[in-house]
Amino acid sequence: MNATTRTGFKARSDAALANPTLKTAIDRTTGTAERKRAAALAGFAEYEAARSRGSAIKDHVIANLDHYLEMFERNATASGAKVHWAATESEACDIVIRLCREAGAKRVTRSKSMLGEEIGLPDALGSAGIERVETDLAEHIIQLAGEHPSHIIWPAMHRTREQVAELFNADHKPPPADDEAASMVQSARHVLRGKFLSADVGISGANFLIADTGATCTVTNEGNAELTTTPPRVHIVTAGIEKLVPSTSHAMALLRLLVRSATGGELTQYTTFHCGPKRPGDADGPEKMHIVLVDNGRSEMIANEFRDMLRCIRCGACMNHCVVYRQIGGHAYGGTYPGPMGAVLTPVLDGLAQSRDLPFACTMNGRCAEVCPVEIPLPTLLRAWRGRSWRAGLEGPRMRAGLAAWAGLARRPGLYRMASGIGVRALRLLGRSGWIGSLPFAGGWTRHRDLPGPTGGTFMERYTARGARRPEDRR
Amino acid sequence: MTRATRPRVGLFVTCLVDAMRPEIGFAAIRLLEDAGCDVEVPTRQTCCGQPAYNSGDDASTAAVARQVIAAFEPFDHLIVPSGSCAGTIRHGYPALLASDADWGPRAARLAEKTHEIMSYLVDIRDYTPGGLRLEGSATYHDSCAGLRELGIHDQPRRLLAAVDGLEMRPLDGENVCCGFGGMFCVKYPAISDAIVGEKADTVERSGADMLLAGDLGCLMNMAGKLNRRGSKVRCFHTIEILAGGGNGPAIGEKP
Ligand code: SF4
C-alpha cells in the first residue's frame, strides 16, 4: 500500500545493484561464510540429528514459554539480578534509559545485540543524552559511519576493508599505522580500551537465557562482551523472550548449531554466562545486573502462522545463502533484520503495509530453509505473508485485475484453450526469428533478456490435431 | 508388457510448455510410452495455479487445484515435466485444501501419485533410455523446486549418462537459483537480472555447448539472458535430449 516504502525498497535495491563496491563486500563475506559453513558441516556427522534436536528444544520452550519465563525470573532474581518485562520496543527503551539514569550514567558501552537494534536502543540513548560506545569492532565501524547493521552477524559487512580504513583514518587519533586488518584492529582496540574502563553502564544482549540457572549467555569472537559487562557498575541485558532455553546443556546443543551455521567455527572464542551481579568475594563484576525481557510482537507470533520463526537463533545462514540478499545486501530490506528471516520478521515488527515488498522479493528457491539450523520453513512463512497481503487488498489494482482475468480463464479450460491459442499466434508474429527482443507489457522481462518465442501452435492444438490425423499415435 | 501392468498416466502439460514449447510435452509422451505407460492428456487442464499461489491469492489457487484434482484423480499417476508444478501439486494443494473435508483427502491422494517426469522415470519406472547418441557437451542446472521440494538430483544425471557421446560438464553453483521465481522476475526485474547474469557467467565458464534443466521457466530465463549476451550456449529441457531431440532447434532457435 504505502507508496513511499514501495518505491523505497525498489529504490534501495536499485541503488545497491548499482554499487559494485557493495557487491564486492557482500561476495567476500557471504562467499567465505558459505565455504566455511560447508566445511564445518562436512566434519559434523550428526548435524541432521543435532538440527532436529535444536528445533525440538526451541519448539518445546515456545510451547511452555510461561513456565520457563517464570523459572528464569525466579532463578535470575535469586542470583541477585533484577528482571524487567517490556511488551513493546518503546517500553524496553524506556526501562533501559531509566536504569541508566538511576545509575547516573554519562557513558555506556554496548556489545552487539540485534535485539538492541530492533528496539531502537542506539537512538534512544542518543536522545537521552547518554554517550554510547559500541565495543564490537563492526558496530564501532557502523557507529562511525552513522549506519545500521546490514547483516546480523557481520553488521559492517557492506563495507570493504578499504572503506573501513578511510573511516578509521578520519576518526582515530592517532590513525591506524596502515590499512592492513591487524593495524586497524589494533587502532580500534586502542581507541576503545579507555572507554571500556570508564563506562558507567554496560549493555549487552543475550544469545541464550538459561531458565534453570537464571544466567544469560553471550557468545563473541572479540571478547568485547566481557569488557562491556564486567567493569561497569551496572550491567543491563536486553533480550527477546524467545532466547529462553531450559538449561545450560540445551544452550550448548544450540550453540553447536549456531556457531557452525554462522561462521563455520566449532565454538566462538568467548562463551560467557552472566549469573547475577558481583557477589561478596568475587574479584570483579557489576554491582547491579538488570535483565530486560522484551516481547515486541513475539507472544502474538506464538498463536499465528509465524510461530516457527520463534525458533530462529540468529545465525545468518539464510541470508548468506540467499540469491537476493547476495545481490542487494542488508540495507535494501529496510528493517532491522535483513535476508529471508528479516523478510519474515520485518512485517511483524514494522507492519506489512510498510514492508510489503519483502515477502515478494523472493524467488521461493528454498535454499534458506535448507541451510537453516533450526528447520524454519522460511518460504512457507513468506508465502503466509503473501496470503495476508492479498487478503488485506495490498496488491495494486492492475495486479488484482490481471490475476482475476487469469483465474477466470484458468478455471474454464475451453475458454483458456481459445485465449492461449490467440496469445501464442500473436507472440509468434513478434518472434519470427525465434527470439523476441522487446515486448509491450513484458518490459520487466525483455529489458534484460530475450524471450524465446513459441515454437508453434499450443501443445493442446497440436496434440488434438495429431490425434485426429494419426490415431495410431494415441494408442 | 501386458496391458494389466501398464500404468495409466495422465500428463499434466503445464501452461508454459503448452504455450511456448510443446516439444517438451511430446517428448514426455514418447518417454513415458517407452517406459511402458499408457499416456493420456486430460483436456480439462490449464495451469497448476502458481501465478495465484505465488501472489497469495489462495482462493483462486484452490479453485484451480480442485479442477486439477478432478481431472487427474482417475489416473494411476499424474506426470508433469516441471519440478515446480509437481511441487505445487504435491505440497501446495494438500496444504491449501487441508481443512476441506472432501477436497483435503483428495488433494492428499493426488499428491501421492504426482511425479515430476525424470524422477518418475528413474524412481518408479526404473527406466534407462536406449540407443541415444548426441555429440557435444552439456551442463545441468538443478531447478530449485525440483531439487528442494522433490529431492530431484541424481535422476536427470543418471538418465543423461545413457546418452552416448554426450560429455557432462560440472556447473559451478548448480544448486543456486537462476533468479526466475515466476512473478518475481517481472516484479523485481533488476534483481532477477543480476541473479541470472551470475548464472549465465557460470554456464559460460563451464565451457559446455548445452545447458539442460528440468523446468521451462528457469530455462527461458537462462536462455533469454544467454542470448541477450550473444552466448552460443544452446538450452534444452532435459527430456527433449532424452527423447532424441538434441539435434533439433534449441530454446529460442528458429523452429
Ligand atoms: S532463520 Fe534460520 S538460518 Fe536464518 S538466521 Fe534464523 S536460525 Fe539462522
Side-chain angles (χ1 to χ4, degrees), chain B:
Chain B
M1 197 171 286
T2 66
R3 179 69 186 78
T5 60
R6 290 178 72 88
R8 185 173 159 243
V9 308
L11 179 68
F12 187 85
V13 179
T14 80
C15 59
L16 269 186
V17 168
D18 179 47
M20 307 304 284
R21 202 162 170 81
E23 289 74 5
I24 297 170
F26 290 111
I29 295 177
R30 204 163 312 141
L31 288 168
L32 288 167
E33 287 180 346
D34 198 36
C37 307
D38 285 336
V39 186
E40 289 177 43
V41 184
T43 54
R44 290 198 58 78
Q45 59 172 301
T46 57
C47 165
C48 70
Q50 278 193 75
Y53 189 44
N54 289 333
S55 303
D57 180 0
D58 293 346
S60 298
T61 316
V64 174
R66 288 192 290 268
Q67 178 175 286
V68 174
I69 294 167
F72 283 90
E73 55 193 354
F75 293 94
D76 295 328
H77 298 289
L78 180 162
I79 305 302
V80 47
S82 154
S84 153
C85 308
T88 299
I89 299 170
R90 280 185 74 118
H91 303 299
Y93 289 7
L96 213 56
L97 297 167
S99 57
D100 188 315
D102 174 22
W103 289 98
R106 290 169 71 180
R109 277 195 299 275
L110 183 69
E112 287 225 331
K113 54 185 184 178
T114 294
H115 302 276
E116 184 278 339
I117 184 163
M118 298 185 290
S119 57
Y120 179 72
L121 289 173
V122 172
D123 299 341
I124 311 278
R125 303 303 302 167
D126 197 14
Y127 170 74
T128 309
L132 282 174
R133 182 154 191 93
L134 183 64
E135 294 302 330
S137 61
T139 194
Y140 185 82
H141 164 78
D142 291 283
S143 287
C144 302
L147 178 68
R148 299 196 180 87
E149 290 174 29
L150 307 171
I152 298 169
H153 179 270
D154 296 346
Q155 301 91 329
R157 291 169 173 84
R158 192 180 123 183
L159 290 166
L160 285 166
V163 184
D164 278 346
L166 183 66
E167 177 208 347
M168 291 306 294
R169 299 252 175 112
L171 178 65
D172 195 23
E174 61 193 1
N175 61 347
V176 175
C177 175
C178 73
F180 172 60
M183 297 289 231
F184 170 83
C185 73
V186 283
K187 263 186 131 157
Y188 302 96
I191 303 174
S192 173
D193 175 51
I195 300 170
V196 73
E198 285 187 18
K199 179 59 74 176
D201 289 341
T202 58
V203 170
E204 292 196 305
R205 272 207 305 276
S206 77
D209 313 325
M210 281 179 286
L211 170 64
L212 310 179
D215 258 281
L216 183 55
C218 315
L219 279 162
M220 286 171 59
N221 179 42
M222 295 184 288
K225 187 67 192 175
L226 286 161
N227 192 63
R228 179 63 61 91
R229 291 168 153 214
S231 163
K232 294 279 164 275
V233 176
R234 307 174 72 225
C235 303
F236 288 95
H237 192 295
T238 310
I239 67 169
E240 295 183 80
I241 302 296
L242 298 174
N247 290 318
I251 291 172
E253 285 175 5
K254 197 172 162 52

